[in-house]
Amino acid sequence: MMPDKKFKEDLPKDIEGLGRGIVEWEALEDRCREAEAALREAEEKFRAIPENLEDGYYEVDLKGTFIFCNEAYADIIGIPREQIIGNTYKKVGNHDSQMTLQIFNNVFRTGIPVKTSNRTVTRPDGSWREIEYSISLIKDEKSLPVGFRGIVRDATERKQIEDHLKELNSLLEATLESTADGILVVDRQGRIVRYNQKFVELWAIPDSILETRDDSQALAHVLAQIKDPDGFLKKVTDLYAHPEEESFDTIEFNNGRIFERYSKPQRVDGATIGRVWSFRDVTLRRRAEETLKESEERYRITTEYSKDGIAMVKGGIHIYVNQSFAEIFGYERADEIMGKPLFQMIHPDDRERVQGINEKRQKGEPVPEKYEFKGIRKDGQPLYLEVTARRIVYQGEAVSLVFMRDVTERRQTEEQLRTLSLVDDLTGLYNRRGFLTLAEQELKMANRLNRGAFLIFTDLDHMKEINDHYGHQEGDRALMAVANVIKETYREPDIIARIGGDEFVILALEGDSESSAENLCDRLYRNLEFYNNSRERAYELSLSIGEVRYDPEHPTNVEKLIAEADKRMYEQKNQKRHLKFDRHENQTKENF
């Protein structure tokens, strides 16, 4: 059938409209493709955000099945990411399933996000982590719940630091309360920061004043007790105006009491943050000194019962010592010391300084009344002494009157505390705090010298199996053995630490070819193999190692180096074959 006339007239118009439709359709397709590309880019950016978080991030569906988690989450709970995604929270980690289910139900029911306090999670390798985590709903475009998302933060180190600070604070409190001196600590703003009970007893300050923490109120209360309140207050004001100065003086009370007052700045990292005041009631001692001036015999009777060592020195020679003084230096009788030169009782490290102070005192020149020095006992052992000495006139001649106290135990305790805060008790290596402190300084040196450095992170394989099969004492022995192998492997300048249960870290500056990362790791493997071959035990020690190089041209911090080396160590550990654990010593030994 031939088209009619009207169809022929309308045909060009339809073709023209069809052409425009095709063009519009192609433009619409282009916009769709652009939108899809933008959507993919947005999704990639969205996924990049949790991947770069230091905290763990995860998403689960309404059934509790993991649909996503970042690498940080996998590192925190100690399970590879591929073993997490697709599994439920009941199968991942050491969770309290009932409590976790209740938390998810509450978030689902109320829609209100939840943030938990610290919880302890045990990892598959037996180590543990203290974590904080939050949970919130994931909703679709219709605002209907489709799952949950959460943030997990590793609070292990903070918890350890908090526990350590509690221990140190407890020790500080015990030390403050055991001393015979009254201690007061005031900050730069004039607020009372700390005091001990002896301070309260010495000054009889009411609790209502101490509770205000206002030093000015405490000062106002004590002024009425003192013979020279203006001089007392002026001394305090001058010291507060000069925060770096130290001071020692005496305070006389209206009732006849006499206090020694010692003040020095309180410093933290070299910055003065306050002032420490120490008060000692020396009323009896001062009365003994006055008695000495009146009668030598009365003086002898008084001093012989003193627990402090008391001596008189003239021209560098001991002309009198009491029994306590003799016992401090390890002598049975006081007459073994009388007539001996002063320098024989002083350690060579401090001999010149102490003799110089004594000579100036004899001449009437100003010298500190109170100071410490290192002495020598009869058996040659060193000891630390706290001395208060002043110039007096005895039998018409200038002599030094010396009151001495043995503070060796206190000094040793202080050194032990400093050591304990940096050194691991079990292995004698640095602990995490000690490593971070020294490693930061080492990296600064690497920057100055423009030299690289290597950080090696190693972990004792199958520590849990050793503890389970042989007991924790054997586990400790295994850790000490690893520590000894590491110490024998690396140089004395290298920094070696045990920073976790079975985790060790080494920082070595880059030097010759022997200091390359490959050589550093190979040396450790060889020494460990030698150790295993030279010992008869039911198992062999095995280590997983990760290493990273520090480049001074691209500086970073120690924590990031540790994290990267730790990650590489776990990659190696996951690649190892897990051999059967053999408990019997008479069977062929197998690596863990």
Side-chain angles (χ1 to χ4, degrees), residues 82-98:
E82 60 269 17
Q83 296 181 19
I84 297 174
I85 297 175
N87 281 317
T88 66
Y89 68 88
K90 294 181 180 180
K91 297 180 180 180
V92 175
N94 183 5
H95 295 282
D96 184 334
S97 300
Q98 188 62 35

Side-chain angles (χ1 to χ4, degrees), residues 48 162 213 308 338 342 392 411 427 476 496 537 577:
E162 289 174 352
R213 298 289 177 173
D308 285 349
M338 284 189 286
L342 172 66
I392 65 169
R411 289 288 296 270
T427 63
D476 287 347
I496 306 171
R537 60 170 71 227
R577 296 175 58 190

Side-chain angles (χ1 to χ4, degrees), residues 54-118:
E54 293 185 2
D55 294 334
Y57 176 83
Y58 67 90
E59 295 177 2
V60 298
D61 61 19
L62 293 178
K63 295 181 181 180
T65 301
F66 282 85
I67 58 178
F68 175 79
C69 74
N70 65 358
E71 194 63 36
Y73 179 80
D75 288 342
I76 290 173
I77 66 172
I79 300 176
R81 181 155 58 173
E82 60 269 17
Q83 296 181 19
I84 297 174
I85 297 175
N87 281 317
T88 66
Y89 68 88
K90 294 181 180 180
K91 297 180 180 180
V92 175
N94 183 5
H95 295 282
D96 184 334
S97 300
Q98 188 62 35
M99 185 175 71
T100 305
L101 177 61
Q102 183 178 353
I103 294 173
F104 277 121
N105 284 337
N106 289 339
V107 174
F108 180 82
R109 180 172 50 83
T110 64
I112 300 174
V114 171
K115 183 177 180 180
T116 69
S117 57
N118 287 3

Side-chain angles (χ1 to χ4, degrees), residues 372-407:
E372 292 185 7
F373 73 90
K374 194 174 181 182
I376 303 176
R377 291 173 54 88
K378 182 181 179 180
D379 58 6
Q381 294 297 314
L383 73 162
Y384 292 93
L385 302 164
E386 180 187 86
V387 174
T388 300
R390 56 182 54 87
R391 181 178 181 269
I392 65 169
V393 176
Y394 174 71
Q395 295 181 348
E397 294 183 292
V399 301
S400 292
L401 177 63
V402 179
F403 295 84
M404 187 172 294
R405 178 172 296 180
D406 185 353
V407 294

